[in-house]
Amino acid sequence: MNCPDCSAPMDLVFKGSVTQLLNGTRMSYLKIVEPYYITPTDSMYALLGSGVHKLLAEHGHQGALQEKQLQDEINSGTFDYYYEEDGVAVLTDYKVWGSWAVRRILDPSEDHIDAEMQVNRYRTLLEAAGHRVDRMQLQIAVRDSGLAIAKQRGIDKPVYVIPIKFIVDLDVISYFQVKAIALQESLASKQLPQPCDERERWQGNRCKSYCDVWQSCEIGRSKHVQVSAKAL
């Protein structure tokens, strides 16, 4: 599989990141090949997340590793924070989420595969680089903490620390390998991938409100037409 523009092997020309591969292949493909804009609100949330990362890094553990990019033959990934305390090696991924997402991650009946796969993939990359990982966790700052809507959802703290379970290495690596090949093949052929599946589309909610490239996708356009029609 070679790049259509330079004829080099595609895996040398493009290597997807962990976050790119967690998204639906169509979404990641369109964000690479199509121009798109983000709203001021999206920019504000991104800056808020960066600010939280910076603040936590300034008050971290001695000798901690922070926001270091690692890669192997499948994909790249930049983990947030890795440290040792009392002989325990901990991998932490920082999030700035709204109370709706926090409520879901606290519910054991909900699907947590994206968060679990993301942190486990960082773990496998860290371990391949010679760092052991004894514990994994999310540290979540609640974006709407203190507001009535958060309290209605049962979210009454500004920060939550959520343990992440270990997933078998082979399952983690296979998951990302399949996604990496699919994205590379679409880029090499310059063909639009199949639509994101229902889980990747958040049962349609992502298409309506949280996809930057919806205008380049027939499903995204359809969802926005439905929203507009309901508003009339």
Side-chain angles (χ1 to χ4, degrees), residues 40-189:
T41 301
D42 292 334
S43 299
M44 180 186 70
Y45 288 154
L47 288 171
L48 177 61
S50 297
V52 169
H53 280 64
K54 184 174 186 296
L55 180 64
L56 291 169
E58 289 174 350
H59 298 84
H61 297 75
Q62 184 72 27
L65 301 179
Q66 305 169 42
E67 297 190 332
K68 183 176 180 180
Q69 186 181 66
L70 301 171
Q71 65 177 354
D72 59 12
E73 67 279 3
I74 298 172
N75 67 283
S76 65
T78 302
F79 65 87
D80 285 339
Y81 197 69
Y82 170 84
Y83 67 97
E84 289 192 33
E85 186 174 60
D86 298 327
V88 178
V90 183
L91 172 60
T92 301
D93 195 64
Y94 296 130
K95 304 290 187 187
V96 180
W97 284 354
S99 56
W100 180 81
V102 178
R103 181 185 61 79
R104 290 189 71 241
I105 200 72
L106 290 171
D107 186 347
S109 68
E110 292 279 2
D111 176 12
H112 306 144
I113 189 66
D114 282 352
E116 291 168 351
M117 280 293 182
Q118 180 182 21
V119 184
N120 271 275
R121 185 59 179 132
Y122 294 146
R123 173 184 61 78
T124 60
L125 289 168
L126 268 165
E127 289 174 341
H131 303 284
R132 82 176 195 280
V133 176
D134 301 317
R135 190 172 81 229
M136 298 178 291
Q137 61 190 23
L138 299 181
Q139 184 167 320
I140 308 170
V142 184
R143 196 165 54 220
D144 51 351
S145 173
L147 299 183
I149 186 64
K151 293 177 181 177
Q152 289 169 12
R153 291 167 174 158
I155 305 303
D156 56 5
K157 296 189 294 187
V159 176
Y160 286 80
V161 177
I162 310 295
I164 293 293
K165 69 179 182 181
F166 281 73
I167 300 176
V168 175
D169 289 5
L170 181 60
D171 292 343
V172 175
I173 293 169
S174 297
Y175 179 88
F176 281 94
Q177 188 169 41
V178 168
K179 299 291 290 286
I181 291 172
L183 183 54
Q184 288 174 349
E185 287 180 343
S186 294
L187 291 169
S189 65

